Amino acid sequence: MFVRTENFRSFIRFYPIISIIIGIHILLFIGVNLFPALLRLTAGINIYISAGEYWRLVTPIFIHEAFPHFLFNSFSLYLFGPALERLLGKFKFIIGYLGAGVVANIATLMLQGPYYSHIGASGSIFGLFGLYVYIIYARRELIDQQNKQIVLTILILSLVMTFVTPRINILGHLFGLVGGAALGPILLTGKRFRRS
């Protein structure tokens, strides 16, 4: 489920949405480092969102300024996204990924101060874990014991890192997780795992 054996072309063919998102990550990572004005225009800055710049609820999901942040989120999507894209289908995967990220960003807007700013796909990545948590506890037939243990172990480690790493949007991570789990019953209705 989480072991990637595809070559570059096969990965793009099997998982086009994840490939596109990672491509956007790459382009925008280069863009914000070459053109700092792009970061100022796309970051989730609460006071600007409150003033009507609602695109900032979505754009931070794709923006990374530091290379380790970009690499960690893109690699997490590469590892944990394919099984969900295959299970949900393209459209529902987009809804789940963006939906969890937007839930995380709305929570950040409502619960952080007006000058709080944030970027990164972490809310959406935690949303994927939220979907897996829903699968583990409500749709057990969709995941085996080994992969369940992998997901729960990585999730626990990620939550620990959330609380010990400086400059992390803790609320974004937590509400991304909640958002993904909440979307699970809607997105997974009637779904069955298609084994290759």
Side-chain angles (χ1 to χ4, degrees), residues 5-57:
T5 58
E6 307 89 355
N7 61 34
F8 182 73
R9 286 186 179 180
S10 295
F11 187 90
I12 291 173
R13 186 170 74 252
F14 295 147
Y15 313 112
I17 303 304
I18 291 168
S19 300
I20 290 168
I21 293 171
I22 292 174
I24 293 170
H25 284 184
I26 293 168
L27 290 175
L28 291 177
F29 171 73
I30 294 168
V32 298
N33 281 281
L34 290 178
F35 307 104
L38 180 60
L39 180 61
R40 292 192 293 272
L41 183 64
T42 55
I45 303 171
N46 283 350
I47 194 167
Y48 294 152
I49 299 170
S50 298
E53 296 184 5
Y54 299 118
W55 67 84
R56 294 177 186 270
L57 293 172

Side-chain angles (χ1 to χ4, degrees), residues 20-174:
I20 290 168
I21 293 171
I22 292 174
I24 293 170
H25 284 184
I26 293 168
L27 290 175
L28 291 177
F29 171 73
I30 294 168
V32 298
N33 281 281
L34 290 178
F35 307 104
L38 180 60
L39 180 61
R40 292 192 293 272
L41 183 64
T42 55
I45 303 171
N46 283 350
I47 194 167
Y48 294 152
I49 299 170
S50 298
E53 296 184 5
Y54 299 118
W55 67 84
R56 294 177 186 270
L57 293 172
V58 177
T59 53
I61 295 170
F62 302 98
I63 301 295
H64 303 87
E65 185 180 23
F67 183 74
H69 191 206
F70 153 76
L71 185 63
F72 181 81
N73 282 341
S74 297
F75 190 66
S76 296
L77 178 58
Y78 167 79
L79 283 181
F80 295 103
L84 287 174
E85 182 173 342
R86 188 168 82 170
L87 176 63
L88 297 174
K90 298 177 184 69
F91 179 72
K92 285 188 175 182
F93 181 83
I94 293 169
I95 296 299
Y97 187 79
L98 291 182
V102 169
V103 166
N105 292 342
I106 290 172
T108 300
L109 171 66
M110 295 175 67
L111 299 173
Q112 296 282 20
Y115 297 101
Y116 189 83
S117 65
H118 58 95
I119 56 173
S122 301
S124 289
I125 299 297
F126 270 83
L128 299 184
F129 282 111
L131 283 165
Y132 281 119
V133 168
Y134 172 76
I135 289 169
I136 287 167
Y137 291 104
R139 297 293 307 276
R140 296 175 187 175
E141 75 279 8
L142 298 177
I143 191 167
D144 62 32
Q145 185 64 27
Q146 181 181 3
N147 286 309
K148 171 185 171 180
Q149 290 175 347
I150 291 170
V151 168
L152 292 177
T153 301
I154 298 297
L155 175 58
I156 290 167
L157 290 173
S158 298
L159 286 171
V160 169
M161 293 305 296
T162 293
F163 286 98
V164 301
T165 305
R167 299 183 62 212
I168 290 290
N169 181 3
I170 295 172
L171 290 174
H173 287 197
L174 296 179

